[in-house]
Amino acid sequence: RERAGGARDMSGGFAVLLDDVEDLAQDLARFALADAPASCSDRDASGSDDDDDDGRLRQRGADIVRVASSTVAPPERPLTSTPPRVILLDDPVSCADAMRELIARGEPCAVDFEGVALSRTGAISLAQVAPPNGPVYLVDVACMGAAAFNEGRLGELLGAKHPLKLVFDCRGDADALHHQFGVRMRGVFDVQVAFCLKKDEDHGGKRGAYLMGLRKALKECPGLDDETRDELERVKSAGAALFAPELGGSYDAWTERPMHPDLIRYAAADVTYLHHMHRTWRAFVGEKKMAAVTERRMRERIESPEGLEQGTEQARRRGSRREKFF
C-alpha cells in the first residue's frame, strides 16, 4: 500500500511538471507570434486586413468576419489618468451588438459586476466589460434584467471559453450569476490569484492571513505614475462614499438612474487596469493551473449551501481567508 501511494504521488508530481512545461511552451509560442513580422498577419484573399482603420470588424456582405480567438491582447493604451471612453448599454439590441463584436474579435475582456449586497441573493445592477483598448461597456442589468444576459448576449460572452475573461475574485460574481440568471462563467483568469501568488514570491509566502482586494492591487499596479495613482484613489474613494454602508453610503445607489458620475468612474476604473495586471502578473501562474483553480473557486462558491455574506466584516469572518491555491 505504501508503494502504491508513493506511485500516485510521483504520478501527480510528474503531471504538475508536465503542466509547467506545457505552459512554458504556450508562452514561448505566444512570444514568437507577437514578434512575427507584419507579413505574417492574417489577411483576406485580396491582401487587405479584416479590420477597419478604427480597429472595428468590417462586414463582408451580411456576415461579420470572425478573427481567431486569442488569450493575448494587442498593445494596450498608455497607463495615464485620462478616463477611458465609457458606453452605457441599457437596451438588449445595443447590448447584443456590442457583445457580438467582442465575441467575434476574441480579445481578452476585463469583467466586473456591481450591485446591491452583491451575492446569490443580492441583486446585480451593473456589469462592466472592457476589451484591451476600450471602450468600457457598462451593461445596465438593473434596467434590462435577464434580457441583458439572454437577448443582450452577455450570458453568451461570459459562458464561452473564448474570449478570456479577466476578473478579480471570481467567486462572488460566479455565485450571483449562477443563482440569479443561470449563467456559468467559463474561460476565466482570476487576477486576484495571480496577485496573491506574486505577493507570496515577494514576501516568501507571508502575504498575510487574508486575500487582498482589488483596491490593494490597484495601488500596486505597475506602470502607473503618481498622478494616475492619486487620481485613481480619488475615484475609488468618491465612489465608495456613495455605496459603502461603512462610509455612510447605500448599495441602493447602484440602482438609481441616471447613475451618479462618481459611480460611473468607479465602475470603469475597476476594469480599466485589469489588462495591465494580467500582462504583468500572469507569469506567476500557468494557464492550465489558472483554469483549474478558477474553476474550483467558482464551483465551491456556487455549491456552497450559504454562499457569501456581503460586507467588509463578513468577508473577514468567512470567504476571504488565505487560500492555498494549489
Side-chain angles (χ1 to χ4, degrees):
R1 290 185 179 178
E2 289 180 359
R3 290 183 63 185
R8 283 196 297 271
D9 290 343
M10 288 178 65
S11 174
F14 179 76
V16 171
L17 176 60
L18 182 59
D19 279 349
D20 289 340
V21 172
E22 290 177 348
D23 290 336
L24 177 59
Q26 290 171 355
D27 288 340
L28 291 174
R30 286 197 299 270
F31 293 146
L33 181 60
D35 292 337
S39 60
C40 295
S41 61
D42 291 335
R43 292 175 178 267
D44 60 24
S46 65
S48 61
D49 292 327
D50 288 333
D51 290 356
D52 287 330
D53 292 340
D54 64 355
R56 299 173 69 85
L57 289 178
R58 189 171 62 208
Q59 291 186 343
R60 291 179 182 165
D63 297 327
I64 294 179
V65 177
R66 289 180 177 269
V67 298
S69 297
S70 172
T71 59
V72 182
E76 61 187 21
R77 67 186 185 89
L79 296 178
T80 68
S81 58
T82 303
R85 186 163 66 101
V86 175
I87 297 178
L88 178 64
L89 303 175
D90 57 3
D91 70 272
V93 174
S94 62
C95 185
D97 288 343
M99 298 303 108
R100 183 184 301 112
E101 182 170 336
L102 292 176
I103 293 169
R105 293 186 65 86
E107 298 171 354
C109 290
V111 177
D112 192 29
F113 300 88
E114 309 293 350
V116 180
L118 185 58
S119 62
R120 66 179 58 177
T121 58
I124 297 176
S125 300
L126 192 72
Q128 305 101 281
V129 183
N133 295 303
V136 175
Y137 293 105
L138 300 184
V139 181
D140 195 341
V141 179
C143 178
M144 290 185 280
F149 299 93
N150 300 325
E151 297 95 314
R153 301 186 67 172
L154 177 58
E156 180 181 348
L157 175 80
L158 297 173
K161 186 175 181 180
H162 300 289
L164 183 70
K165 272 72 67 179
L166 311 179
V167 303
F168 197 97
D169 192 353
C170 60
R171 299 168 302 166
D173 295 341
D175 192 42
L177 288 167
H178 176 77
H179 288 284
Q180 294 185 38
F181 297 102
V183 173
R184 190 74 175 251
M185 285 200 295
R186 297 177 64 227
V188 174
F189 185 101
D190 195 329
V191 178
Q192 184 184 54
V193 174
F195 179 51
C196 288
L197 292 175
K198 171 195 177 297
K199 299 297 287 185
D200 273 353
E201 185 165 309
D202 290 346
H203 301 289
K206 299 178 181 179
R207 60 175 142 90
Y210 299 97
L211 292 173
M212 289 167 286
L214 178 56
R215 195 162 182 174
K216 173 70 171 176
L218 286 170
K219 289 181 179 180
E220 297 196 21
C221 181
L224 302 184
D225 58 28
D226 290 342
E227 179 186 359
T228 302
R229 292 186 191 280
D230 291 344
E231 177 60 23
L232 187 55
E233 183 61 27
R234 285 193 291 270
V235 167
K236 299 296 290 183
S237 296
L242 294 172
F243 71 82
E246 62 269 24
L247 299 177
S250 168
Y251 287 121
D252 290 333
W254 288 112
T255 66
E256 297 174 0
R257 297 295 181 270
M259 274 196 297
H260 195 288
D262 287 343
L263 290 182
I264 292 176
R265 287 189 283 269
Y266 180 100
D270 276 356
V271 291
T272 296
Y273 300 101
L274 285 181
H275 288 284
H276 187 67
M277 294 180 193
H278 169 243
R279 288 175 181 273
T280 305
W281 297 333
R282 67 183 179 184
F284 291 94
V285 56
E287 287 184 9
K288 288 190 175 182
K289 288 183 178 179
M290 177 59 78
V293 74
T294 52
E295 176 58 30
R296 175 181 59 78
R297 297 184 96 206
M298 291 189 292
R299 182 181 66 253
E300 288 178 353
R301 180 58 56 82
I302 289 170
E303 296 176 357
S304 158
E306 297 180 342
L308 175 69
E309 294 178 70
Q310 178 69 32
T312 303
E313 198 56 42
Q314 291 87 341
R316 286 199 180 100
R317 287 190 284 106
R318 48 193 289 203
S320 291
R321 293 187 180 277
R322 178 179 176 139
E323 291 182 59
K324 182 179 180 181
F325 295 120
F326 308 110

